Amino acid sequence: MNARPQRTHKSGPRPPSLGSNLWTLLALLVLLGLSAGSALLRLGPFNTVANLGIAVIKALLVLTIFMRLKTDNALLRIVASVGFAWLAVMIALGLADVLTRTPLLPPW
Amino acid sequence: MNARTHPVPEQFDDPVQQREAATLGMWAFLATEILFFGVLFAGYTLCRVRFPEAFAEASRHTDMLLGTIETAVLLTSSCAVALSVREVQLGGRRLATALLGVTALLGISFLVMHGFEYYAEYQEGLIPSIHYTQQGVYAHGMAIFYCLYYFITGFHSIHVTIGVVLMGVMGWRTWHGAFDQDYHTPLELTALYWHLVDIVWIFVYPVIYLVGRAG
């Protein structure tokens, strides 16, 4: 006996179109080129900012299009975000320790 | 089991709820994978703050061209497996199997290229406590970089190897008609795993290969 009527639509969100998959791949490869190119330019600390920024954009593209978080259940977006949020907490607290250490001279 | 005869276990109301439970479970597992690699990235971050010059020097010893090609290979393989799931959802079988085969082959080529990298690093004396010949002020910091490098890329390669095996299994099952428009959850979850392995590499690439290249 079913408490609810059976849902009959095809399981899973509608697949992204062929075009959106291929455009995503193209965007990822262009971003890879940008990442490699910018690393060769002398930008000081902005080398790291650019490289990590591009990596975040690439990861978001994979998460939203290839992994379908854009169209799938909102609960999955929360679980995925939580994974990265805990990681951010771990790195932030770790860095908070290392970056704020000051050498204390012994008082004698 | 044929997709058309796949029964919905009694704990689920319908196939939609079954799929939701399965994907949620997979994402919970992927969140633990994020933290598994996250510990290594956190360690990397702290050590890089402590030894910035040594990390830049060590990164210049890695093979940027191979690293870039490996990244492109993994990104392409991610697209291939996404297209394979799409094909199954649209009712295809041959192309879906072929795309899974392409994914597995790209994964294998990634592993082979990484093997060449490890061999070159062995010859250069860049493997701490096995064959490490670096000298100078940065030698200690570089050893820490290379320890992290082998742990991160080693565990990543293990994940790629598992992914290649899973792609083979999924390809075999897809070919034998185990999945169709109505039932393809195992294939979908395997694709999610592969994409996550790809995302890990997206972050490995800049932190391992691109540090201090402009100097």
Side-chain angles (χ1 to χ4, degrees):
Chain A
M1 188 172 67
N2 286 319
R4 283 191 270 167
Q6 290 252 329
R7 285 172 284 183
T8 53
H9 69 77
K10 304 296 182 196
S11 76
R14 284 172 56 78
S17 69
L18 179 65
S20 73
N21 273 310
L22 293 177
W23 278 112
T24 306
L25 175 62
L26 184 68
L28 286 168
L29 293 176
V30 168
L31 285 168
L32 171 64
L34 271 179
S35 186
S38 74
L40 299 173
L41 303 174
R42 201 185 284 269
L43 302 174
F46 288 101
N47 276 123
T48 309
V49 175
N51 281 328
L52 289 181
I54 290 172
V56 169
I57 297 171
K58 277 154 78 181
L60 283 174
L61 278 174
V62 173
L63 285 164
T64 52
I65 310 292
F66 287 164
M67 298 175 95
R68 301 180 180 184
L69 281 181
K70 189 177 153 196
T71 48
D72 215 328
N73 204 334
L75 189 56
L76 301 181
R77 285 196 284 276
I78 296 173
V79 175
S81 313
V82 164
F84 288 102
W86 285 126
L87 176 59
V89 169
M90 178 162 64
I91 291 178
L93 288 182
L95 274 179
D97 170 24
V98 174
L99 293 177
T100 56
R101 270 186 210 173
T102 45
L104 293 176
L105 291 172
W108 57 86
Chain B
M1 186 180 295
N2 192 288
R4 275 164 233 298
T5 60
H6 184 85
V8 178
E10 61 180 324
Q11 68 268 33
F12 300 115
D13 288 342
D14 54 28
V16 179
Q17 193 191 44
Q18 184 188 9
R19 180 197 167 271
E20 282 171 358
T23 41
L24 181 62
M26 189 63 192
W27 271 104
F29 167 68
L30 294 184
T32 68
E33 287 280 75
I34 292 170
L35 290 177
F36 173 85
F37 280 102
V39 174
L40 295 167
F41 280 107
Y44 171 93
T45 309
L46 301 192
C47 292
R48 183 163 158 190
V49 169
R50 177 78 179 75
F51 306 103
E53 296 91 1
F55 268 46
E57 181 59 29
S59 178
R60 281 193 283 273
H61 280 73
T62 58
D63 192 329
M64 181 174 162
L65 179 63
L66 260 187
T68 310
I69 295 171
E70 286 163 10
T71 314
V73 162
L74 276 194
L75 292 173
T76 311
S77 73
S78 245
C79 184
V81 75
L83 288 176
S84 174
V85 177
R86 176 178 184 275
E87 186 64 19
V88 167
Q89 281 188 293
L90 299 177
R93 186 174 65 95
R94 260 171 210 277
L95 183 58
T97 311
L99 284 165
L100 287 172
V102 167
T103 308
L105 285 177
L106 287 171
I108 291 167
S109 70
F110 172 89
L111 291 171
V112 170
M113 282 188 275
H114 225 297
F116 280 117
E117 264 190 79
Y118 285 153
Y119 182 63
E121 277 141 14
Y122 176 76
Q123 284 186 317
E124 228 187 302
L126 285 170
I127 305 186
S129 85
I130 293 177
H131 185 227
Y132 192 72
T133 57
Q134 304 303 309
Q135 304 288 336
V137 283
Y138 295 140
H140 175 63
M142 284 175 71
I144 293 177
F145 175 94
Y146 273 97
C147 281
L148 285 161
Y149 165 81
Y150 291 114
F151 271 105
I152 294 175
T153 59
F155 277 121
H156 181 267
S157 293
I158 291 173
H159 279 76
V160 173
T161 309
I162 295 169
V164 167
V165 173
L166 288 175
M167 287 302 152
V169 173
M170 288 300 140
W172 191 85
R173 292 183 66 184
T174 306
W175 179 249
H176 287 90
F179 308 122
D180 63 10
Q181 295 104 310
D182 293 323
Y183 177 72
H184 48 264
T185 309
L187 178 62
E188 220 182 335
L189 302 190
T190 309
L192 285 180
Y193 171 83
W194 189 264
H195 293 311
L196 191 92
V197 172
D198 185 28
I199 288 177
V200 171
W201 187 263
I202 286 175
F203 287 98
V204 169
Y205 175 64
V207 302
I208 297 292
Y209 294 92
L210 299 183
V211 189
R213 289 289 173 184

